[in-house]
Amino acid sequence: VLPELKLLCGADFLQTFKTPNLWKEEHIKEIVEKFGLVCISRAGSDPAQYINESDLLTKFQHNIFLVKEWIQNEISATQIRSALCRGLSVKYLIPDSVISYIAHHNIYTEESERKNEGDLLQPL
Amino acid sequence: DPDKKTEVVLLACGSFNPITNMHLRLFELAKDYFHETGKYKVIKGIISPVGDAYKKKGLISAHHRVTMAKLATKDSDWVEVDDWESSQSEWLETLKVLRYHHQKLLSPGPTNSLQNAIPLTKPGRKRKQEPNRHDPVKKKNQSPDIKSVPQVKLLCGSDMLESFGIPNLWKSEDITEIVENHGLVCISRAGNSVQKFIYESDILWRHKNNIHLVEEWITNDISSTKIRRALRRGQSIRYLVPDVVQAYIEKNKLYSPESEDMNAGVVLAPLQKHASDSKN
């Protein structure tokens, strides 16, 4: 028996299904029907409500696993990049090895943040 | 002008039961804050775990808590663990710990922690500070110049600051001396109630320029209580505490329903002490 492959994501990812032209309807259907979703969200936010508002997701809700994150940790990559550009410490937010790598290759700068500025996202 | 900056040592007191990434973040946030003012230079961070005599529920032995804190800071070049407080047989007021560390910085000599704080030079790495730069023994005047003696400030979260309001937990003269002679650095989430708490307290308001409020924008809800709870339930604490701490906890099987029952029903040492002080 093959292991089941499931898509792991946060609540904001789930919400992006709503963004016009970002996802193909038939793809969302195949994801939730054939594979399954595991959605981690903060205590206090309500992905169940959002699923309820979508007929498609409601139909396959047995294949959408909602996990509550009780020890909240709101570390977004956007904030990390912002902190790095401002020369602020990100120690204990991301692994030390990743911090060293970023510093060594000078990956995140004001310039890198401007990459693709004004361009349309490929799916759109 | 680097010579005009006030040197600051950050002291964090608490149970550290266990130490978490949140505790470690407090130091990083405070250091960035002080450096951005351009007026201060943070030279050292000290973690001082409370002694077992504190009698808090669920408090495991100081030996383990100190060891975990040391493991967590072993690759930090400025934050260290001090076990003076935890090795005392009686519980000590936080003010006494502040005074002890302040005194330690004033007295020169082989055990001067300022000397010990200087990291060994590694190839390609500059020394952060020259030794004997501010040697108080050479100064002629008796009262230390505020800019040449490092200040020891109490580093905490909003919960500790607001605990000043819990009856009998703190002596008001201690709170006064802490904010007047040393200073507080309080890290909290944006939109919190700390400013209101300071406003409502005459003592804190009077010394508000010595209470530094630092906002934590990348919020972090990792409390030791939640870590212990997750461990009792067999849940993962990875990425919430340093890997070495998680490994140590697992190896020594710390934190169980039994350990959480430690000191159950026992009155917390400060409450006990202040209740008996007021009787005398």
Side-chain angles (χ1 to χ4, degrees):
Chain A
V1 179
L2 280 178
E4 292 177 15
L5 182 61
K6 298 194 183 301
L7 189 60
L8 175 65
C9 65
D12 47 345
F13 187 94
L14 192 70
Q15 304 271 26
T16 70
F17 286 171
K18 269 198 293 225
T19 307
N21 294 328
L22 192 60
W23 297 84
K24 280 192 210 152
E25 195 77 4
E26 58 264 31
H27 281 191
I28 299 177
K29 181 172 186 287
E30 195 174 326
I31 289 171
V32 291
E33 185 176 18
K34 299 235 162 68
F35 297 94
L37 220 54
V38 183
C39 177
I40 318 290
S41 59
R42 294 192 272 287
S45 85
D46 197 6
Q49 165 82 338
Y50 169 63
I51 290 169
N52 185 252
E53 288 167 2
S54 155
D55 291 342
L56 180 58
L57 298 182
T58 300
K59 186 171 179 203
F60 298 106
Q61 61 186 298
H62 58 275
N63 214 11
I64 301 174
F65 299 87
L66 299 179
V67 182
K68 266 215 166 87
E69 180 193 25
W70 291 101
I71 306 183
Q72 284 160 38
N73 214 321
E74 288 168 29
I75 305 173
S76 80
T78 305
Q79 288 179 310
I80 295 293
R81 294 194 308 270
S82 168
L84 288 165
C85 285
R86 295 172 188 186
L88 300 174
S89 165
V90 294
K91 199 167 156 93
Y92 312 115
L93 296 175
I94 58 178
D96 284 349
S97 50
V98 175
I99 298 176
S100 306
Y101 185 93
I102 291 172
H104 184 64
H105 296 277
N106 199 26
I107 302 176
Y108 294 116
T109 57
E110 272 180 33
E111 216 180 286
S112 69
E113 278 302 278
R114 280 199 297 270
K115 197 168 179 218
N116 299 321
E117 200 170 36
D119 286 351
L120 207 55
L121 206 62
Q122 184 64 9
L124 299 174
Chain B
D1 181 1
D3 281 350
K4 293 246 163 64
K5 288 188 189 167
T6 304
E7 290 187 329
V8 169
V9 170
L10 301 170
L11 171 69
C13 296
S15 307
F16 299 103
N17 188 33
I19 191 164
T20 69
N21 283 341
M22 180 215 65
H23 294 125
L24 298 162
R25 275 304 290 166
L26 297 181
F27 285 94
E28 299 293 306
L29 289 163
K31 189 178 184 201
D32 281 344
Y33 164 87
F34 278 113
H35 286 182
E36 293 207 304
T37 64
K39 295 188 280 194
Y40 297 93
K41 184 172 195 279
V42 175
I43 58 170
K44 186 150 68 137
I46 303 173
I47 293 174
S48 176
V50 79
D52 293 335
Y54 188 49
K55 297 285 178 200
K56 189 172 182 185
K57 185 167 176 289
L59 191 69
I60 67 167
S61 83
H63 164 72
H64 284 313
R65 292 182 289 115
V66 166
T67 304
M68 288 189 283
K70 284 182 174 171
L71 286 169
T73 52
K74 84 173 141 68
D75 65 351
S76 173
D77 59 5
W78 67 285
V79 182
E80 63 185 47
V81 178
D82 189 281
D83 62 5
W84 177 80
E85 181 184 358
S86 62
S87 54
Q88 305 303 308
S89 54
E90 301 262 303
W91 170 74
L92 285 186
E93 286 87 342
T94 301
L95 175 60
K96 295 204 171 110
V97 184
L98 269 166
R99 283 180 187 156
Y100 167 80
H101 285 285
H102 181 68
Q103 197 51 49
K104 224 173 147 191
L105 285 173
L106 289 178
S107 36
T111 54
N112 185 340
S113 54
L114 184 58
Q115 304 268 344
N116 295 337
I118 298 165
L120 293 169
T121 317
K122 287 181 191 164
R125 218 170 131 199
K126 290 187 187 157
R127 263 180 178 259
K128 297 225 151 126
Q129 186 177 342
E130 286 172 299
N132 299 319
R133 202 163 170 209
H134 300 289
D135 189 343
V137 176
K138 291 193 184 129
K139 286 194 85 65
K140 295 232 161 96
N141 59 8
Q142 285 309 300
S143 60
D145 175 7
I146 195 162
K147 291 215 190 315
S148 67
V149 172
Q151 294 180 7
V152 183
K153 296 193 182 301
L154 188 61
L155 173 66
C156 64
S158 53
D159 51 342
M160 182 184 273
L161 185 70
E162 293 185 20
S163 80
F164 285 172
I166 298 174
N168 292 328
L169 192 60
W170 299 80
K171 279 189 237 168
S172 60
E173 55 264 34
D174 280 13
I175 297 173
T176 305
E177 196 177 322
I178 289 171
V179 292
E180 188 170 20
N181 291 9
H182 302 279
L184 219 58
V185 187
C186 178
I187 318 288
S188 54
R189 221 156 288 197
N192 64 84
S193 49
V194 170
Q195 283 182 308
K196 181 162 184 267
F197 186 82
I198 292 172
Y199 163 76
E200 289 174 353
S201 154
D202 288 344
I203 299 174
L204 298 181
W205 182 261
R206 197 177 317 132
H207 302 285
K208 65 184 183 313
N209 57 342
N210 214 7
I211 300 174
H212 302 266
L213 298 181
V214 182
E215 276 184 301
E216 176 192 25
W217 293 104
I218 305 182
T219 58
N220 210 320
D221 206 20
I222 307 171
S223 72
S224 298
T225 303
K226 289 182 175 180
I227 297 296
R228 297 195 307 274
R229 182 180 293 137
L231 287 164
R232 290 198 299 277
R233 296 174 186 188
Q235 293 168 344
S236 167
I237 59 168
R238 192 114 200 258
Y239 312 117
L240 299 177
V241 303
D243 286 349
V244 286
V245 173
Q246 193 252 334
Y248 184 88
I249 291 172
E250 205 173 296
K251 179 168 176 224
N252 293 280
K253 296 184 178 27
L254 306 176
Y255 304 120
S256 59
E258 291 73 41
S259 71
E260 199 62 18
D261 265 340
M262 277 275 282
N263 298 317
V266 177
V267 179
L268 205 64
L271 299 174
Q272 173 89 330
K273 192 166 186 195
H274 299 148
S276 63
D277 280 353
S278 55
K279 274 190 203 144
N280 295 341

